[in-house]
Amino acid sequence: MIRRIDATEKAIELIKVLKEKHGDLMFYQAGGCCEGTQPQCFEKGGYYQRMGDVCIGTIEDTEFWVDKDLYEYWKHAHFTLTVIDAFGVGGFSLETPLKKTFQIEYRIFTEEEEKDLEPVKIID
């Protein structure tokens, strides 16, 4: 099966650091507002998803949730979680005090990949 999300080594290293400090984590990527469209990292359960929000996969046993409307727009795209040395837009994410910011790079799935995508989990 084709994964819907992957991460760079640098992002995986940062997730490990954050897990050591905060325990289990979760990601949420909204479609706008004060946090822009950057993925936000929270302690697991530290953000309440809405009905219809979608978990597109996991990174280092950390669920990556996407706003239902954003998912509809990007459901044909592969996400790659990256990290840069910068202060993020919203400042709510756990990496902010470390002067880091998670980002997503997108690419469209090929027709062949679309036939074998991992299933998603949707909040009913």
Side-chain angles (χ1 to χ4, degrees), residues 2-123:
I2 305 297
R3 291 178 47 85
R4 294 173 181 269
I5 185 160
D6 287 301
T8 63
E9 268 308 309
K10 196 172 176 183
I12 290 170
E13 289 172 20
L14 182 55
I15 291 168
K16 289 177 181 177
V17 168
L18 294 173
K19 283 177 104 173
E20 272 186 36
K21 184 173 184 177
H22 300 282
D24 290 338
L25 305 172
M26 65 180 287
F27 282 95
Y28 188 81
Q29 184 160 353
C33 186
C34 55
E35 75 281 355
T37 56
Q38 291 177 212
Q40 302 287 302
C41 184
F42 300 101
E43 291 178 358
K44 188 172 185 173
Y47 184 87
Y48 297 102
Q49 304 94 319
R50 300 175 304 153
M51 298 295 283
D53 284 347
V54 181
C55 179
I56 63 169
T58 61
I59 302 167
E60 294 296 305
D61 297 320
T62 301
E63 291 181 334
F64 193 99
W65 289 89
V66 177
D67 170 87
K68 62 184 176 182
D69 297 325
L70 186 67
Y71 175 74
E72 277 305 309
Y73 188 77
W74 284 108
K75 66 184 172 185
H76 301 289
H78 179 270
F79 288 44
T80 300
L81 184 68
T82 65
V83 65
I84 61 170
D85 295 326
F87 182 76
V89 176
F92 304 121
S93 196
L94 292 176
E95 79 279 5
T96 300
L98 302 175
K99 297 181 181 167
K100 306 283 185 190
T101 299
F102 286 110
Q103 290 186 325
I104 289 292
E105 295 174 356
Y106 303 96
R107 72 167 177 81
I108 302 301
F109 288 118
T110 65
E111 284 184 38
E112 286 302 309
E113 287 174 321
E114 286 269 1
K115 295 174 186 173
D116 194 31
L117 292 175
E118 281 185 339
V120 295
K121 179 167 59 171
I122 300 174
I123 294 180

